[in-house]
Each structure stands twice: as C-alpha cells, then as structure tokens.
Amino acid sequence: MSILLTALSLLSVATAVPEIEAVDSLRTTDIEEIVVVSTPKEDQRLRQQPLSSTSLAQDDLQERGIADVKALSAHVPNLFIPAYGSRLTTAVYIRGIGSRVNTPSVALYVDGVPQVSAASYDFNFSGIDRIDVLRGPQSTLYGRNSMGGVIRMFTKNPLHYQGTDLIINGARAADGKSAGIGHHQVSATHYHRINDRFAFSVNLFGERDGGYFRNAARDNEYIDEQTDLGARMRFVFQPSNDLHLELAASHEWLKQGGYPYEYQGTAGSPSTPEPTTQVGEIAYDSHSGYRRNLTNVGLTAEKQWEKVTLTSVMGFQHLNDQMDLDQDFTSTHLYTLMQRQNASTVSEELILKNNKPLTLTADKSSEGFSYAYLFGAAGFRQWLETEAPVAFHDDGLAWLNGLINRQGNAHLPTVTNHDAAGNPQYTMNFVFSDHIQGDELAFSGTYQTPVTNGALFHQSTFRNLFGAKNLTLTAGLRLDYEHFDLSYDAGYSFTHRYGLGGRLTYPDGSVNSGMNLVPARNYKVADGLNGSLQKEYLQLLPRVTLQYAFAQETLSNPSTLYATVSRGYRSGGYNIQMFSDLLQTRMQTAIMKNVANATVPVVDNVTMMPTDAKQTVRTLLIQMGTQKATDVDAATWYKPETTWNYEVGAHLNFWEGRLTADIAAFWMETSDQQVSKMSSGGLGRVTVNSGKSRSIGGEVALRFRVTDLFLLQTAYGYTYAQLRNETPYTFVPFIPRNTFSIGASKEWPVAGTKGDVITLHADYRGAGRIYWTESNDVWQDFAGTLHARLSYRRVTKLDTEVAVYGNNLLSQRIQTFYFETMQRGFAQYTRPAELGLQLRFRF
C-alpha cells in the first residue's frame, strides 16, 4: 500500500477536482448534479448509462425513513430485502435472484470499496449521502456476486461540503405500550477543510432500540432490542492537481437481541415433541442474540496523466461476531446453535481508462466516431474461521433417544416358536433400550474457509457507431478466477447406556417380561471428521450493450434507449452447517456398532431362536453398525450460480426534465440456481443447487416535479420467477411478484422568513405475492404500509429542522419472513404503528 502511494505521489499532471459549495436545499432536483461522487469505472451520469438503476440522495433517505439496507425494499423496483433475523444475514433479492445464507447475489460498495462479507451488509447508515442501486448482472465490471446487481453507497466529500450535521431521533409505538424504551438515535458529523488540498470528516453515531416484540418463554422480555455504536472517518488529500488520495475508516459495535419469530403451527408431521408454545406466540426458552465488531478501511489513489487515469482502490475488512440461536424456536429445550466468525479480507482493484469521457448529448459537436476504453485487475483474499457448535439439551436428548430406540425396535424381528404340529408355543419380542447419558450432547466444529479471487476485465465503448449519430456500442469481458479451501475439525464425545431385553408371550396370554439378554452397560463413543478440501473455477463474464441517445439540444441529460445482453455469476461455497447432520448420522452408526458388538454373540447363543431369525438379526445389526464413508465434499459443496440476462430499457425526459421515466424489461435464464433450505437432518439451513429458473419482468420509475414545490414519484416492479426443474413449475421462494411505491412531497415557504419551509412527505410501499417455500404452499399476498413525515426547516446561521413522522400508520400486520424447521412454521411480522420526532442541525 505505501509503495503504491509513494509511486503515485511522484507522478504528475492532471486536472484538479473543482470545488463545490454546500447545498442548502433539503431536496435536489438532479441528484447527480448536486451529490458529486467518484466512480472510476464510469464516464457518464448514472441515468445516461445503459442499465436499470435508482439513486437516492440523503434527503430521500431521511424523508422515507431509510436507516438500513433492508428499508430499501420496494423503493427500488424489484428489490426485496426481507426484515428478519439478525444483522448477520442480509438476503437481497433482485429480479428473481437471491439467497438467504452464504454468498450474496448483490454486491455492496461503500465509497468504492467492496464489502466482501455478507455479514457486513446491514450496517448503520449514519453519514451516508447517496445510494445507487444498479439492477441486473453487473459482473463484467464488478465481478462475483453481482449477478443480481450492485448497491453503491457514498459519504459526503469534505473537500466539497463543510460544517457540522447533528441528528437526534426518537420514536416509539403509537399505542405507547408495544415498545419498551422506544427507538433512539443520535449522529454527529463534522466536515472540515484545512486548505484546498486537505480535508477530513468525522462521524459518530449511537442507536438504542428497546424492542417491539416480547418473548413469552423468558419473562416477556423484549426479544428484539439492540444497541449500535460506531464511528466513521474520511480523509481527502490532493498533494497536486493530478493526484487524489482518500482514506476512509469505520468501526461499528453491535449488540442485538433475539429474533421475533412467531410460531405458526405444524407444517407436516413433526417427529419432535409438541411444544407448549401457542400459535401466534414468540416463545423460545434459550438465549438468542447477535453481537458484532466490524472494521472497514479503504484507501483510494487516483493519478491522472494527459491521456489516461489510473485508480487504485485498496480495502481491508475485519469481522468478529457471534450468534446464539435457539434452533427449535420454541419453549421446548431441544437444541441450540452458537456461531462465531473471525474474518479478515484484503482487496485491491486497479483501473486504467482514457481521459475523454463520453457525454451523450445531441448537439452537433458530438458528431464523429470516438472510442473509450477501460482495463482493470481486481482480487481479494479472505481468511475466515468459523466455530459452530450445536448442543442438544434434555428435550433434544429425549427426542434423539426415542428416535434411536424406535428405529432399533422397529427393525428387530418377532420370533414365534412352534411345536411339531405347528402350534405356536410362544412369541418372543426383543426390547431394545439405549440412552445417551447426561443432560447435553455437543457437536463441536471449527472450520477454516479461506477464499482467493482474481480477475482481469476490459470494456470498450464506440460512440457514433457506423456514422449513426449518438449510437453507442459498449462491449466488455471479465475473466474471474476463484479458489476455495475448507479445513474442518468437527466431532463429538459421549457415553450411552445400552441393554437388550426380551418378552415372551404364551398362547394362554401370560407374559414373561423379565428376560435380560444383554445386560445394560455404558459405552463410550467418540468420533469426528477432520480434513481439508479445495475447489477452483474460472468464469467468463461478457456484456454487450447498444444504446441510442436522443433529446432536445437544451437538455443536458438526453433521453436514451438501450438493449443489453450480459452474464453474471454468484460464487459457490461450502455448507459448514451440514457437519452437524453428518455427525448425527455417524453418531447413530457408532451407537449401533456398540449394540452389534454386544448383541450378536448373545443372539447366537439363544437356543430357542431359529437359525434364520438369528441370521436376520446378525445381518441387520452388523449393517446398522458399519460406518460408511462420509463424502464431505458431496455433502457440503454447492456450485456457482450463473445467469444470462436479456434486457431492453429507456431513460426518458419530458418538459425540460420535470418528468423523468425509467423503464426496463428483462428475461433472465439462471442455471444451478442456489436456494436455501433446511438440511436433511433439520439441524440448520443450507444452500443447495436447484437446477434452472427463469425470471421475466419489467420495471418503471416515474419522477414528476409538478411545480417547484410539489414532487410526485412512483416505482413499480414485476417479476415472474419460476423454478423449472420439474413440471408443474413452482415459483422461486422469497421473490415478490410485485413491488410498488408511490410518494409525494409538498413544500410551503414560510412568509416573512429568509427561506424557512414546511415540508410534508407521504409514501406507500408494498410487495407481494411472496411464496415462502419451494412447494409454494405458504405465501404473503400483496400488502403495504403507509408512512408520512412533516417537517419545519428554519434557515439561519444555525440551520434547523424539526420533523414528526409516522411509520406503518395503518398498523398493518404483514409477514416479512416465513420459514419452516422440523415440520413447524415460524414467521416475522411488521412492527406496529410508530410515531417519532427528529431534530436536525447544520452548523
């Protein structure tokens, strides 16, 4: 890192970044004119590019109450991020692509630095100035895990924006009793420019949420409470006009309660004991929660020459977290999971492009063929150690013991002895009895899963193609290499007590139950899986786009039409959650081996037992006690998921930009679709490849500035996504058929003031139908929530805004998430209606 910066600092000549004054207005009419960001892979504004995208400025985030990544749902067409569980897992679904666990399908960048770990997606938005969501595969430029799209977030540049922002926020349930202490948040950010060459910003934030849902099994405690503290810093240094350096760093500490999963009743024929939990009740007896320490550091260096620009983006991320989970989610004391992760990631990306940006205007000066290019190399190395022990408790042991005993007794034959005339003399039933000793059985596991990725990519852009004015062809290709390692050390050790009795039933009905064939005694069992695996693969990721621009000469943003063909992929990986299932199977075999060793000699000496019955028992026990080879690779590996995307769209401007429309239609063919499901043993959720799927749909977003003081905007997305493995086809779970939002903002200037304004914003957003299972037997129909915000802004030396707001004002109770485990269903619902007060100060 230091060598690269030293080398760049010795180079020379380029253009200085122009100074931009801080913007007073809380609303911007053109985000990209006001919110200036650095995007080294692009030469055009986002809406001028041939892709489907949405941009939200800081004031959009404030008005709509978007405080985390999950709140982006429905504001962006065809984007769905279910609010469930802990911040460990962020499932992002776009256009029928997504997964609940393991590798994400949508990439996340913060100030140009990739967030490689999916556990880092759900972070505090304090200080975030703009969010871009790019939909459809972006793998040619962004690589792995961007087959659904890319989310880019930016903070303010302290060279361009000065002052101090202070935000104080408080809210609680509208009924005054559904929440504990309510929700409180404070954020302070200072932007300071030392001189024209150096500036910095410091952001401090804290958040305390008292929770909204109670756990009936733990003294009605608020199960979803959380505390979030952190800091974010950014340093910008321009030692010369041709060299730009940035250092950004952040740290966040999070402590989160459990997960408000309501019991929905049985979903089949459960094999475990029926819990005392009532339907519609949240009640788990074991502690559940999540804590996280997350550190991010990014270093960006940009060097300009007369003809080319070289950009280097280095990133470092460290994650240390722990999740505790009552895995049966009921008051029954079955089993719990603890997962602890320690991950460090180092990434580097180099981008070389020419210095003649393409501006798609329709004036005469744009005539003539032109060419732009971009070359890039990227790579990262992630070191990840995971501890994931599973512990069975008293109810869980009773279930396991019952399972083993039922299986043993079900397979032992019933022997009937006959006299010479064929009359039955007696019938003998074997009585199999086995019990794991103690009050807990632990499956330990430590896993090392390092990942190495490297890529080369190129993109060429030809403008005014074949002499056609404003016809542009863009073609790109990426070669992506990925290498996975898995080192595993998982095992168990316990004592079980086994005995075999017999029961003789005579023709007269009398019973002798006292036969003790194998005296009960304790047996020690210890086993484990220890080894290593590795996988590697290459992916070719092309993208070809044809775009035509047309507009009036007075417009700085032309209207455009485009057509795109692109390929994207999502990484494969290892399901370490499968090891508990593998160990459970080996455990049952190890128990039966002890049973066989103790039982076969006894059975051979039972004189009253026919020879054929002895052989049956002997063969059965030896088979059940023979440990088969465990294919860890086949059980844990899931393949990369790939997709081809075919898309047409338009970015249209009317009435000098007062009305804008963004429209797209897409067809996606996905292979080796990754879906999340419960493992065969029911001990965790895993990712599996589920053949092929097809997603067909469209998107439209309208923004209409009716007057300078009245804004209307709406967004709608439609996705028809089906798994196409077997007929009849089923719909891909967790994919909303429709997403919809509509909002309006109205401003009233306050007479007699120097710019004071009252603003009312209201919006409605919803999604559905959403199928929660692959069998499509559980779903949430389309449903939405209403939100509003009323603010008064006083423009003085101390810029002040006071706002009252309401979330879910109609108190809609909507399923935001549903899953099944051990033949039982559980669901999370929206929070109740919430009222809040926010104060914003700008010094």
Side-chain angles (χ1 to χ4, degrees), residues 494-517:
F494 64 93
T495 299
H496 72 108
R497 187 172 184 81
Y498 164 69
L500 181 66
R503 184 174 63 250
L504 291 177
T505 303
Y506 296 95
D508 62 3
S510 59
V511 178
N512 177 9
S513 304
M515 298 185 65
N516 187 13
L517 301 177

Short mmCIF file of all heavy atoms in Angstrom, two decimals, residues 494-517:
data_model
loop_
_atom_site.label_atom_id
_atom_site.label_comp_id
_atom_site.label_asym_id
_atom_site.label_seq_id
_atom_site.Cartn_x
_atom_site.Cartn_y
_atom_site.Cartn_z
N PHE A 494 -19.36 -38.82 23.87
CA PHE A 494 -20.41 -39.00 24.87
C PHE A 494 -20.46 -40.48 25.30
O PHE A 494 -19.76 -41.34 24.74
CB PHE A 494 -21.78 -38.57 24.34
CG PHE A 494 -22.28 -39.40 23.19
CD1 PHE A 494 -23.11 -40.50 23.41
CD2 PHE A 494 -21.94 -39.08 21.89
CE1 PHE A 494 -23.56 -41.26 22.35
CE2 PHE A 494 -22.41 -39.83 20.82
CZ PHE A 494 -23.22 -40.93 21.05
N THR A 495 -21.28 -40.74 26.28
CA THR A 495 -21.49 -42.10 26.80
C THR A 495 -22.95 -42.47 26.63
O THR A 495 -23.83 -41.65 26.91
CB THR A 495 -21.11 -42.18 28.29
OG1 THR A 495 -19.72 -41.85 28.44
CG2 THR A 495 -21.36 -43.57 28.85
N HIS A 496 -23.20 -43.69 26.15
CA HIS A 496 -24.58 -44.15 26.07
C HIS A 496 -24.71 -45.50 26.79
O HIS A 496 -23.74 -46.26 26.92
CB HIS A 496 -25.05 -44.26 24.61
CG HIS A 496 -24.44 -45.40 23.85
ND1 HIS A 496 -25.15 -46.54 23.50
CD2 HIS A 496 -23.19 -45.57 23.34
CE1 HIS A 496 -24.36 -47.36 22.81
NE2 HIS A 496 -23.17 -46.79 22.70
N ARG A 497 -25.89 -45.77 27.26
CA ARG A 497 -26.17 -47.00 28.03
C ARG A 497 -27.13 -47.87 27.23
O ARG A 497 -28.24 -47.45 26.92
CB ARG A 497 -26.75 -46.65 29.39
CG ARG A 497 -26.91 -47.85 30.31
CD ARG A 497 -27.31 -47.41 31.71
NE ARG A 497 -27.38 -48.53 32.64
CZ ARG A 497 -26.32 -49.08 33.24
NH1 ARG A 497 -25.11 -48.59 33.02
NH2 ARG A 497 -26.45 -50.10 34.07
N TYR A 498 -26.68 -49.10 26.94
CA TYR A 498 -27.47 -49.98 26.09
C TYR A 498 -27.74 -51.31 26.81
O TYR A 498 -26.88 -51.85 27.51
CB TYR A 498 -26.73 -50.26 24.79
CG TYR A 498 -27.28 -51.45 24.04
CD1 TYR A 498 -28.54 -51.40 23.44
CD2 TYR A 498 -26.56 -52.65 23.96
CE1 TYR A 498 -29.06 -52.50 22.77
CE2 TYR A 498 -27.07 -53.76 23.29
CZ TYR A 498 -28.32 -53.67 22.70
OH TYR A 498 -28.84 -54.77 22.05
N GLY A 499 -28.94 -51.81 26.58
CA GLY A 499 -29.31 -53.13 27.05
C GLY A 499 -30.39 -53.71 26.16
O GLY A 499 -31.15 -52.98 25.52
N LEU A 500 -30.45 -55.04 26.11
CA LEU A 500 -31.46 -55.72 25.29
C LEU A 500 -32.20 -56.73 26.16
O LEU A 500 -31.59 -57.63 26.76
CB LEU A 500 -30.82 -56.44 24.10
CG LEU A 500 -31.79 -57.16 23.16
CD1 LEU A 500 -32.68 -56.16 22.44
CD2 LEU A 500 -31.03 -58.03 22.15
N GLY A 501 -33.50 -56.54 26.24
CA GLY A 501 -34.34 -57.47 26.97
C GLY A 501 -35.22 -58.25 26.02
O GLY A 501 -35.15 -58.11 24.80
N GLY A 502 -36.05 -59.12 26.61
CA GLY A 502 -36.97 -59.91 25.81
C GLY A 502 -38.30 -60.07 26.53
O GLY A 502 -38.38 -59.96 27.76
N ARG A 503 -39.31 -60.30 25.76
CA ARG A 503 -40.64 -60.50 26.32
C ARG A 503 -41.26 -61.71 25.62
O ARG A 503 -41.44 -61.71 24.40
CB ARG A 503 -41.51 -59.27 26.12
CG ARG A 503 -42.89 -59.38 26.77
CD ARG A 503 -43.66 -58.05 26.68
NE ARG A 503 -43.93 -57.66 25.32
CZ ARG A 503 -43.37 -56.64 24.70
NH1 ARG A 503 -42.49 -55.90 25.35
NH2 ARG A 503 -43.65 -56.35 23.44
N LEU A 504 -41.59 -62.75 26.42
CA LEU A 504 -42.21 -63.96 25.90
C LEU A 504 -43.71 -63.92 26.15
O LEU A 504 -44.17 -63.65 27.26
CB LEU A 504 -41.64 -65.21 26.57
CG LEU A 504 -40.17 -65.57 26.23
CD1 LEU A 504 -39.72 -66.79 27.02
CD2 LEU A 504 -40.02 -65.81 24.75
N THR A 505 -44.47 -64.14 25.10
CA THR A 505 -45.93 -64.19 25.21
C THR A 505 -46.38 -65.61 24.84
O THR A 505 -46.07 -66.10 23.74
CB THR A 505 -46.57 -63.17 24.26
OG1 THR A 505 -46.07 -61.87 24.55
CG2 THR A 505 -48.09 -63.17 24.42
N TYR A 506 -47.12 -66.26 25.75
CA TYR A 506 -47.56 -67.63 25.56
C TYR A 506 -48.98 -67.66 25.02
O TYR A 506 -49.72 -66.67 25.11
CB TYR A 506 -47.47 -68.41 26.88
CG TYR A 506 -46.04 -68.52 27.38
CD1 TYR A 506 -45.54 -67.61 28.32
CD2 TYR A 506 -45.21 -69.53 26.91
CE1 TYR A 506 -44.24 -67.70 28.75
CE2 TYR A 506 -43.90 -69.63 27.35
CZ TYR A 506 -43.41 -68.72 28.27
OH TYR A 506 -42.12 -68.80 28.70
N PRO A 507 -49.38 -68.84 24.45
CA PRO A 507 -50.73 -68.92 23.88
C PRO A 507 -51.85 -68.61 24.87
O PRO A 507 -52.92 -68.13 24.48
CB PRO A 507 -50.81 -70.37 23.38
CG PRO A 507 -49.38 -70.72 23.07
CD PRO A 507 -48.58 -70.03 24.14
N ASP A 508 -51.59 -68.88 26.15
CA ASP A 508 -52.65 -68.59 27.12
C ASP A 508 -52.72 -67.13 27.53
O ASP A 508 -53.52 -66.72 28.36
CB ASP A 508 -52.47 -69.47 28.36
CG ASP A 508 -51.14 -69.20 29.07
OD1 ASP A 508 -50.39 -68.28 28.61
OD2 ASP A 508 -50.83 -69.88 30.07
N GLY A 509 -51.87 -66.30 26.94
CA GLY A 509 -51.88 -64.87 27.23
C GLY A 509 -50.92 -64.42 28.29
O GLY A 509 -50.75 -63.22 28.51
N SER A 510 -50.29 -65.38 28.99
CA SER A 510 -49.33 -64.98 30.01
C SER A 510 -48.07 -64.44 29.37
O SER A 510 -47.71 -64.80 28.25
CB SER A 510 -49.00 -66.17 30.91
OG SER A 510 -48.46 -67.25 30.14
N VAL A 511 -47.37 -63.54 30.11
CA VAL A 511 -46.21 -62.83 29.57
C VAL A 511 -45.05 -62.93 30.55
O VAL A 511 -45.23 -62.78 31.77
CB VAL A 511 -46.52 -61.34 29.31
CG1 VAL A 511 -45.29 -60.61 28.80
CG2 VAL A 511 -47.66 -61.21 28.31
N ASN A 512 -43.89 -63.24 30.03
CA ASN A 512 -42.66 -63.20 30.80
C ASN A 512 -41.84 -62.03 30.28
O ASN A 512 -41.26 -62.10 29.21
CB ASN A 512 -41.89 -64.51 30.66
CG ASN A 512 -40.56 -64.47 31.40
OD1 ASN A 512 -40.27 -63.55 32.15
ND2 ASN A 512 -39.73 -65.51 31.19
N SER A 513 -41.81 -60.92 31.05
CA SER A 513 -41.12 -59.70 30.59
C SER A 513 -39.73 -59.55 31.18
O SER A 513 -39.07 -58.55 30.97
CB SER A 513 -41.93 -58.46 30.98
OG SER A 513 -43.22 -58.53 30.47
N GLY A 514 -39.28 -60.54 31.88
CA GLY A 514 -38.05 -60.36 32.64
C GLY A 514 -36.80 -60.87 31.98
O GLY A 514 -35.78 -61.02 32.65
N MET A 515 -36.86 -61.19 30.70
CA MET A 515 -35.67 -61.72 30.05
C MET A 515 -34.61 -60.61 29.88
O MET A 515 -34.88 -59.53 29.38
CB MET A 515 -36.02 -62.31 28.68
CG MET A 515 -36.99 -63.48 28.73
SD MET A 515 -37.24 -64.19 27.10
CE MET A 515 -35.60 -64.82 26.77
N ASN A 516 -33.41 -60.87 30.29
CA ASN A 516 -32.31 -59.91 30.20
C ASN A 516 -31.24 -60.53 29.32
O ASN A 516 -30.33 -61.20 29.79
CB ASN A 516 -31.77 -59.59 31.59
CG ASN A 516 -30.75 -58.47 31.57
OD1 ASN A 516 -30.62 -57.77 30.57
ND2 ASN A 516 -30.03 -58.30 32.67
N LEU A 517 -31.37 -60.29 28.01
CA LEU A 517 -30.47 -60.92 27.07
C LEU A 517 -29.08 -60.28 27.06
O LEU A 517 -28.07 -60.94 27.05
CB LEU A 517 -31.09 -60.88 25.67
CG LEU A 517 -32.46 -61.56 25.54
CD1 LEU A 517 -33.00 -61.38 24.14
CD2 LEU A 517 -32.36 -63.03 25.89
#
